[in-house]
Amino acid sequence: MTSDELLRVIEQAAREGSTELDLGEQNLTEIPPEISKLENLSKLDLSSNQISKLPPEIAQLQNLSELDLRFNQLSNLPSEIGQLQRLQNLSLSSNRLVTLPQSIQHLSNLSALHLASNKLKRLPRDFGRLPNLSLLNINSNQISSILPEITRLSQLTHLYISSNQLTDLPPEIEQLKNLSVLNLNSNQIGSLPPEIGSLKNLTILYLNSNKIAQLPAKIANLQNLTRLDINSNQVDSLFQIAQLRNLHTLNISANRISSLPKEISNLQNLSVLNLNSNHLSGLPKEIGELKSLSQLNLRTNQLVNLPSSIQKLQNLSILFLNSNRLTTLPPELKQLKNLSQLNLRANEALPIPPEIANRSSEAQTILDYYFRDRTKQSRPLNEAKVLLVGEAKVGKTSIVRRLIDDNFDPSEQMTDGISIRPWPITVYEKAVKLNLWDFGGQEIMHATHQFFLTKRSLYLLVLSARQDELSNRIEYWLKIIRSFGGNSPIIIVGNQVDQKSLDIDRRGLKKKYPNIVTFIETSCSQTNHKGIKKLEKEIKTQISKLPHVFDELPSSWFSVKTQLEKLDTDYIPYHQYQKICTDKNIVQEQNQKTLVGFLHDLGIALNFSDDPRLQQDSILNPDWVTNGVYSILNDNVLMTQHKGILERSMLNRILDPQRYPSSKHLFILDIMRKFELCFPVGGFENERYLLPDLLSKEEPETGTWDNALPFQYHYNILPGSIMSRFIVRMNPLISKRTYWRNGIVLTKGGNKALAKADKEDRRIFIWISGNRSTRRHLLESIRDQFDYIHSTIPGIEIEEKVPLPNNPSVLVDYKNLLDMESMGVSEFVPSGLKEKTRVRDLLEGIETFQSRESRIEARKELDRQFSSPPPVPESDSHPQTARRTPWGSGLFYLFVFFSVTALLIVVSHYVPVYMVPVIIIGALLAIGVIGAFQLMQDERFSEENFLVLIVEAYKRLPLLGSNQTNKEQDQSDK
């Protein structure tokens, strides 16, 4: 907003006698003296601007009760601010304040003062004279001690002083008799004074990330305390806490607790108990007395077993026991009927296959499997996956042929996609079935390999001895395996050594990638079988060490598995699978679902029943699915002539009609959509699709991006799937069909974005141009999608980089910025510069404080467990954007409609009556055409189908049924 525009807004508000004025996020740099004209104003929002100074005339707003100045550049306040006698709420967080004026003591009606994220080292001497102050937030400053100025605030109920430099609390803290919430997180506090026990009204106490080793005995006096967070300290005893009978939430993770006292049973109101990352080796039977407990987190301890009394926790819904040393589970665990989440991962001694244990959100599935009738006959699984990966033409298929058939085909064709072959071997005199997955090495297929690269597998990374390390892309493949396969063992196979010996840095690679178990040189030629027997022996050795290969499974499971493998069909409906289960005495529906999920995770029979589009034929042959998908991705005509645009009718040529009848074409396409390999385009749902992996590599003209908001992602390895999936997920916002294989241009709310990948540098670059006050909203939408994609690749390493606005070649690590913010660091000198940069300015440039907090929580949730993707963004869906466009409320159409109606009234006097209906119909059609052009202009829809635009225009007419849409939009705005 320009200065002239601001003056006009002020003048209009003064004329109307406005009591509220919202000037947030308007890119304001100063407030004019004319602000004094708003004498009726009670609420003024100036947040998220670039204001560095307030005019003295601010003092004339004598009716002001709320003043929001957060996220500006204020380094001081005028003394006149003390004249705002009616001010009740003053927000000054995220500025550059070093001191406060002494006159602030005169704000006698002030009840809430927000000063977080400034540079304050102390508060004014007479600060304690604010008689009505009930909330004080001084988080993230540089305060090293709580002075009497604070302890004299007798009406204080909420005190937030986290992320400062406190080393202790003064005894005078006991004077805050009305204190209800006290936040002391992220300081350097070593101990609490006994006087803290005098805060009888305290209900919430945060002490996370300090250096507290022992709690004072008098903390037991805080009988109104409902929440206590003391994680990341050095506490070794809970005896004092066990006296807090009204506790509802207790978080004491990451401490030194080795045992729980019997008195824990006193906490009868406790609902949430977090004890993760301690040293617990057992639980007392009294844990069962916590009848109100709904969430219990015990992960990363040293528990060997659980007490039978756990059955008494009938309200328990979430139980985390992962990363312990459990060997058995008590039968009483089955009595917890309300248990919905059970995490037992990384308890290696528990006989639960990871495919079952990983279903942590299906607690009853895990328990049903563990406590199944063990008197019934069972068999060891004796089955595993061996995955061969590497570049094209290195001999993966020849190695498979040598291992299984002991022959060689000199005219062997390259694998198009994935070939899956069974290989029966003997390990420790036990028959084991290996499924050898031979992955095609062509670049186009790397994007989909990730869906089949799994943990609990043995990897053979095949290299060509005729090529150097760069051509073999050794570290690329090793990082891919680490990203998708975790710590699965890897055998590096140097093939074709009959022509040249393998020359690589073995010691260096093994040091960098410790899951490499050995290097073996092989030749598969007709006359030279070097290393094949050695490779076979090493494969057997590694299979014998894989966890869960010899797990005991119900014989009925094997019967179902065997029958599915013998079926002479590539797909069957789910009800046929259920009949097979019933015939094999697997009657309960839950057990049938558990089994099909197990078979899916093993790659024996795929099942996508969680997707409504894929429920028709729920049990699928993996070979049928993969080869159908890869046949499409490998079609040269589709890539070269059609530039990645697939007409559904093309599948009659691409797919084998015997194996893939036309009735299954849409099903294959829906699988590709589920894998985010394609999306429908041009308004032709189910008929025309775009495949990003088949687009041209040439970047089109995208315009200039000077002064754009930049952001970058840096990767240890950049799988091609990341950019292609991003294009699929963001397709509603694509601008004028501007996309290529490694990039895309997006539009939203008047802002444009360019996102493109550089595979050589392993980076994704983002630039946002447009309105400075709203462009970060588009960046947030983009980052939301990347966050989700990254969360589905657990082992990938990503660094988010923030280029300096005035010096984009200087990059600052985003996580480092967050750390500095949490530590109260306000300024730093970036590497490569000789001047200080403000932490808050860089962070606020890309997202608001609220968005940052939400993103941190969302990422934690994604890390814990992602189940369904966030909704793909709809065009112009951001609330703030919607308020600035005529489409949100249909005002544009109302204007056109009433204009046309007025014209009709005039015209009706000069034309015959019978022509009036014709004119009305013509006017309505004109509105649709005008609306279609408006939609096209706004780049909300492609112009490929103009009729689609007209239909969409009519959908937005308030008079033709969009009232509900508008109501929903209004609700979204709120």
Side-chain angles (χ1 to χ4, degrees):
M1 183 180 293
T2 65
S3 299
D4 290 342
E5 290 173 334
L6 177 57
L7 287 174
R8 285 196 292 270
V9 170
I10 292 175
E11 291 289 346
Q12 181 179 353
R15 286 195 303 271
E16 296 174 353
S18 299
T19 59
E20 297 185 7
L21 182 59
D22 185 352
L23 292 172
E25 297 190 4
Q26 296 300 320
N27 205 28
L28 302 176
T29 57
E30 60 181 13
I31 301 300
E34 286 79 1
I35 194 76
S36 62
K37 296 179 180 180
L38 302 175
E39 56 186 26
N40 293 318
L41 211 60
S42 64
K43 183 177 180 180
L44 176 59
D45 186 349
L46 294 167
S47 63
S48 301
N49 283 291
Q50 301 178 41
I51 301 168
S52 59
K53 186 178 181 180
L54 288 180
E57 288 79 4
I58 193 81
Q60 297 182 36
L61 305 182
Q62 286 297 303
N63 287 307
L64 205 61
S65 61
E66 293 186 36
L67 177 57
D68 191 346
L69 288 159
R70 294 170 300 157
F71 310 115
N72 278 287
Q73 300 179 20
L74 295 170
S75 57
N76 56 62
L77 298 176
S79 60
E80 288 82 359
I81 201 166
Q83 298 176 30
L84 300 176
Q85 291 296 305
R86 296 188 180 181
L87 200 61
Q88 298 177 16
N89 192 326
L90 177 58
S91 297
L92 292 161
S93 297
S94 302
N95 277 280
R96 301 178 176 181
L97 296 173
V98 177
T99 60
L100 296 177
Q102 200 70 28
S103 62
I104 204 168
Q105 65 175 304
H106 300 307
L107 300 178
S108 56
N109 285 302
L110 197 64
S111 62
L113 177 58
H114 300 270
L115 294 163
S117 301
N118 279 283
K119 299 180 181 180
L120 297 172
K121 293 184 178 180
R122 62 182 61 86
L123 298 174
R125 185 176 62 255
D126 295 322
F127 190 76
R129 294 183 180 180
L130 298 173
N132 290 303
L133 195 66
S134 62
L135 185 152
L136 175 60
N137 184 347
I138 47 177
N139 291 342
S140 301
N141 277 280
Q142 301 171 24
I143 295 173
S144 58
S145 62
I146 296 181
L147 301 177
E149 286 80 4
I150 292 179
T151 59
R152 288 201 297 268
L153 298 170
S154 58
Q155 299 302 312
L156 206 61
T157 60
H158 293 69
L159 175 58
Y160 302 93
I161 195 167
S162 68
S163 299
N164 277 278
Q165 300 171 16
L166 299 179
T167 56
D168 56 22
L169 292 180
E172 290 84 357
I173 194 77
E174 66 179 352
Q175 297 178 31
L176 300 178
K177 300 295 185 182
N178 291 306
L179 203 61
S180 173
V181 177
L182 176 59
N183 186 341
L184 295 164
N185 290 344
S186 301
N187 280 283
Q188 303 292 320
I189 298 172
S191 62
L192 299 176
E195 287 78 6
I196 199 168
S198 300
L199 305 179
K200 299 297 178 62
N201 289 308
L202 204 61
T203 59
I204 297 176
L205 177 58
Y206 296 109
L207 296 165
N208 302 331
S209 301
N210 280 283
K211 298 181 178 179
I212 300 171
Q214 189 174 5
L215 296 172
K218 289 195 175 181
I219 201 170
N221 295 341
L222 303 180
Q223 287 301 306
N224 285 312
L225 205 63
T226 61
R227 175 163 188 160
L228 174 60
D229 281 25
I230 193 169
N231 65 291
S232 301
N233 279 277
Q234 302 167 21
V235 176
D236 59 8
S237 172
L238 290 182
F239 179 77
Q240 298 88 339
I241 297 175
Q243 311 304 314
L244 302 174
R245 298 176 184 272
N246 285 305
L247 268 186
H248 177 273
T249 300
L250 173 59
N251 182 356
I252 196 161
S253 62
N255 276 276
R256 299 176 179 177
I257 308 295
S258 58
S259 63
L260 298 182
K262 296 180 180 180
E263 291 78 7
I264 194 80
S265 61
N266 294 336
L267 306 181
Q268 290 293 303
N269 292 303
L270 199 62
S271 175
V272 178
L273 176 57
N274 188 346
L275 287 159
N276 86 73
S277 302
N278 277 284
H279 306 300
L280 293 170
S281 57
L283 299 175
K285 64 180 181 180
E286 287 77 10
I287 194 82
E289 301 303 318
L290 304 179
K291 302 295 178 61
S292 299
L293 207 60
S294 63
Q295 299 180 32
L296 177 57
N297 187 343
L298 293 162
R299 70 176 174 85
T300 317
N301 278 280
Q302 301 170 24
L303 297 173
V304 177
N305 52 47
L306 301 174
S308 59
S309 61
I310 201 168
Q311 67 175 314
K312 298 180 181 180
L313 304 179
Q314 288 300 308
N315 287 308
L316 200 63
S317 61
I318 298 175
L319 177 58
F320 290 161
L321 291 163
N322 44 313
S323 301
N324 276 278
R325 301 176 181 176
L326 295 172
T327 56
T328 60
L329 298 178
E332 291 79 8
L333 210 56
K334 293 171 60 179
Q335 306 297 324
L336 303 180
K337 299 303 181 183
N338 289 309
L339 195 64
S340 59
Q341 291 191 48
L342 174 62
N343 195 330
L344 290 167
R345 297 169 184 161
N347 284 279
E348 297 300 334
L350 281 179
I352 303 177
E355 291 80 8
I356 301 296
N358 288 343
R359 299 170 175 265
S360 57
S361 61
E362 303 174 21
Q364 294 308 314
T365 295
I366 298 173
L367 295 177
D368 287 346
Y369 175 83
Y370 183 82
F371 292 111
R372 68 190 187 278
D373 189 350
R374 295 178 184 272
T375 62
K376 293 183 178 179
Q377 191 174 5
S378 62
R379 288 175 50 189
L381 175 61
N382 291 8
E383 189 163 332
K385 289 170 69 175
V386 178
L387 302 103
L388 290 87
V389 297
E391 293 296 295
K393 300 181 180 180
V394 296
K396 297 185 292 294
T397 304
S398 295
I399 288 176
V400 172
R401 185 182 290 274
R402 270 292 173 204
L403 288 170
I404 298 177
D405 305 321
D406 193 23
N407 62 31
F408 174 72
D409 182 359
S411 59
E412 187 79 62
Q413 297 294 314
M414 283 196 304
T415 303
D416 290 334
I418 301 174
S419 172
I420 307 170
R421 294 194 60 187
W423 180 28
I425 63 172
T426 302
V427 178
Y428 296 148
E429 300 182 352
K430 298 177 181 178
V432 175
K433 177 186 175 184
L434 297 186
N435 295 305
L436 271 60
W437 292 56
D438 174 12
F439 287 78
Q442 298 92 315
E443 179 74 28
I444 192 66
M445 289 179 277
H446 295 185
T448 51
H449 286 352
Q450 68 175 69
F451 302 110
F452 309 104
L453 300 180
T454 58
K455 299 178 181 177
R456 182 181 165 153
S457 304
L458 171 63
Y459 283 82
L460 305 187
L461 172 52
V462 183
L463 313 176
S464 171
R466 296 181 300 181
Q467 300 176 2
D468 58 19
E469 289 191 31
L470 185 62
S471 299
N472 276 303
R473 296 213 288 174
I474 300 177
E475 293 213 45
Y476 167 85
W477 286 107
L478 288 170
K479 289 173 181 176
I480 284 285
I481 294 170
R482 184 163 63 186
S483 295
F484 297 105
N487 292 320
S488 296
I490 303 171
I491 300 173
I492 292 186
V493 182
N495 196 31
Q496 302 167 343
V497 295
D498 56 322
Q499 302 174 43
K500 184 182 177 182
S501 61
L502 182 66
D503 183 19
I504 58 174
D505 180 10
R506 305 184 188 209
R507 188 188 303 273
L509 287 172
K510 202 168 188 316
K511 185 176 181 180
K512 192 172 182 180
Y513 303 94
N515 50 330
I516 297 175
V517 294
T518 190
F519 300 80
I520 296 178
E521 296 187 358
T522 63
S523 174
C524 300
S525 68
Q526 199 72 44
T527 58
N528 189 337
H529 308 170
K530 179 181 179 180
I532 296 299
K533 291 297 181 183
K534 182 179 180 181
L535 177 59
E536 179 179 345
K537 181 179 179 181
E538 185 62 35
I539 289 174
K540 292 179 179 180
T541 299
Q542 295 305 321
I543 292 299
S544 71
K545 297 177 182 179
L546 278 181
H548 304 289
V549 170
F550 305 104
D551 282 354
E552 292 283 331
L553 299 177
S555 294
S556 57
W557 285 31
F558 279 94
S559 299
V560 172
K561 172 177 169 292
T562 302
Q563 186 162 341
L564 289 175
E565 291 172 331
K566 289 181 178 179
L567 287 176
D568 188 23
T569 182
D570 288 318
Y571 40 81
I572 61 171
Y574 193 77
H575 67 80
Q576 185 175 340
Y577 161 76
Q578 289 179 307
K579 185 178 186 307
I580 294 173
C581 288
T582 303
D583 292 343
K584 304 301 180 183
N585 295 320
I586 305 177
V587 179
Q588 293 185 5
E589 183 178 356
Q590 182 59 53
N591 292 338
Q592 294 171 353
K593 289 181 178 179
T594 300
L595 174 55
V596 77
F598 177 74
L599 296 175
H600 175 91
D601 291 337
L602 281 180
I604 294 169
L606 301 183
N607 171 252
F608 301 111
S609 57
D610 59 325
D611 192 321
R613 297 171 298 191
L614 303 174
Q615 290 178 347
Q616 179 183 359
D617 298 302
S618 289
I619 311 301
L620 311 166
N621 178 355
D623 184 71
W624 182 80
V625 173
T626 57
N627 279 292
V629 171
Y630 282 116
S631 294
I632 298 171
L633 290 176
N634 282 301
D635 186 69
N636 189 56
V637 175
L638 177 58
M639 180 187 299
T640 57
Q641 297 183 22
H642 297 276
K643 307 299 183 185
I645 299 293
L646 172 69
E647 300 282 352
R648 185 174 167 187
S649 58
M650 295 178 190
L651 298 183
N652 294 320
R653 173 185 59 80
I654 297 173
L655 298 176
D656 178 358
Q658 296 298 319
R659 198 174 186 194
Y660 303 94
S662 58
S663 61
K664 299 301 176 189
H665 289 178
L666 183 58
F667 188 81
I668 290 291
L669 289 169
D670 283 338
I671 287 177
M672 294 181 68
R673 291 180 68 180
K674 178 179 178 62
F675 286 168
E676 296 178 340
L677 298 172
C678 66
F679 61 89
V681 293
F684 297 96
E685 184 75 17
N686 299 332
E687 293 299 329
R688 183 186 295 174
Y689 296 82
L690 185 144
L691 284 67
D693 283 311
L694 300 184
L695 290 172
S696 170
K697 289 184 178 180
E698 184 174 356
E699 179 178 344
E701 176 58 43
T702 62
T704 59
W705 297 90
D706 297 335
N707 301 316
L709 171 63
F711 194 80
Q712 296 180 18
Y713 291 100
H714 294 200
Y715 299 83
N716 65 325
I717 182 67
L718 179 53
S721 61
I722 290 182
M723 197 64 209
S724 60
R725 290 176 64 191
F726 175 75
I727 293 174
V728 171
R729 297 181 68 82
M730 297 298 286
N731 80 84
L733 304 184
I734 294 175
S735 173
K736 297 181 179 178
R737 291 176 289 179
T738 309
Y739 41 63
W740 65 105
R741 192 177 302 183
N742 296 316
I744 186 174
V745 175
L746 308 169
T747 59
K748 179 180 179 182
N751 297 310
K752 294 185 72 172
L754 168 64
K756 66 177 183 178
D758 185 324
K759 292 186 177 179
E760 286 299 317
D761 288 343
R762 303 189 303 278
R763 298 183 180 186
I764 289 178
F765 299 88
I766 299 167
W767 292 272
I768 316 286
S769 67
N771 190 311
R772 286 183 174 271
S773 63
T774 61
R775 61 186 184 179
R776 60 184 174 183
H777 300 320
L778 178 52
L779 178 60
E780 288 174 17
S781 298
I782 290 172
R783 293 176 67 201
D784 285 344
Q785 299 305 321
F786 276 118
D787 280 352
Y788 173 75
I789 294 170
H790 294 154
S791 73
T792 64
I793 312 174
I796 197 168
E797 299 172 15
I798 311 116
E799 293 180 351
E800 295 173 285
K801 300 292 185 179
V802 182
L804 295 188
N806 299 323
N807 199 337
S809 62
V810 177
L811 305 178
V812 181
D813 188 79
Y814 172 73
K815 184 178 183 301
N816 192 30
L817 287 173
L818 292 181
D819 291 340
M820 286 190 285
E821 181 184 43
S822 67
M823 294 168 60
V825 177
S826 58
E827 292 181 333
F828 72 109
V829 179
S831 177
L833 291 186
K834 295 183 178 180
E835 57 184 21
K836 290 183 178 181
T837 297
R838 193 163 183 261
V839 173
R840 179 69 57 178
D841 289 346
L842 289 180
L843 288 173
E844 289 301 315
I846 60 174
E847 61 188 349
T848 65
F849 180 78
Q850 295 88 339
S851 298
R852 189 154 56 255
E853 294 290 301
S854 300
R855 183 175 301 282
I856 292 172
E857 288 304 312
R859 287 183 176 180
K860 289 179 181 178
E861 182 60 30
L862 282 172
D863 289 340
R864 283 192 290 268
Q865 182 180 5
F866 62 90
S867 54
S868 59
V872 176
E874 296 182 1
S875 188
D876 291 311
S877 60
H878 196 281
Q880 296 209 8
T881 300
R883 285 197 292 267
R884 291 176 168 80
T885 175
W887 302 105
S889 64
L891 292 176
F892 169 80
Y893 294 105
L894 285 174
F895 171 76
V896 175
F897 187 83
F898 286 125
S899 297
V900 173
T901 303
L903 180 62
L904 285 174
I905 293 172
V906 175
V907 171
S908 63
H909 292 289
Y910 303 100
V911 299
V913 176
Y914 65 84
M915 287 296 295
V916 173
V918 176
I919 295 174
I920 294 175
I921 293 172
L924 291 173
L925 289 174
I927 293 172
V929 173
I930 293 170
F933 276 114
Q934 180 69 40
L935 288 172
M936 188 188 303
Q937 182 66 30
D938 284 356
E939 299 171 340
R940 301 169 191 226
F941 294 92
S942 166
E943 60 270 34
E944 292 178 8
N945 190 338
F946 196 74
L947 288 176
V948 173
L949 297 180
I950 294 178
V951 171
E952 291 296 335
Y954 277 115
K955 285 181 180 178
R956 286 159 168 75
L957 275 173
L959 301 179
L960 295 178
S962 69
N963 288 335
Q964 183 62 34
T965 303
N966 290 332
K967 289 178 182 178
E968 292 172 357
Q969 180 66 57
D970 292 342
Q971 187 64 32
S972 174
D973 290 348
K974 292 176 184 178

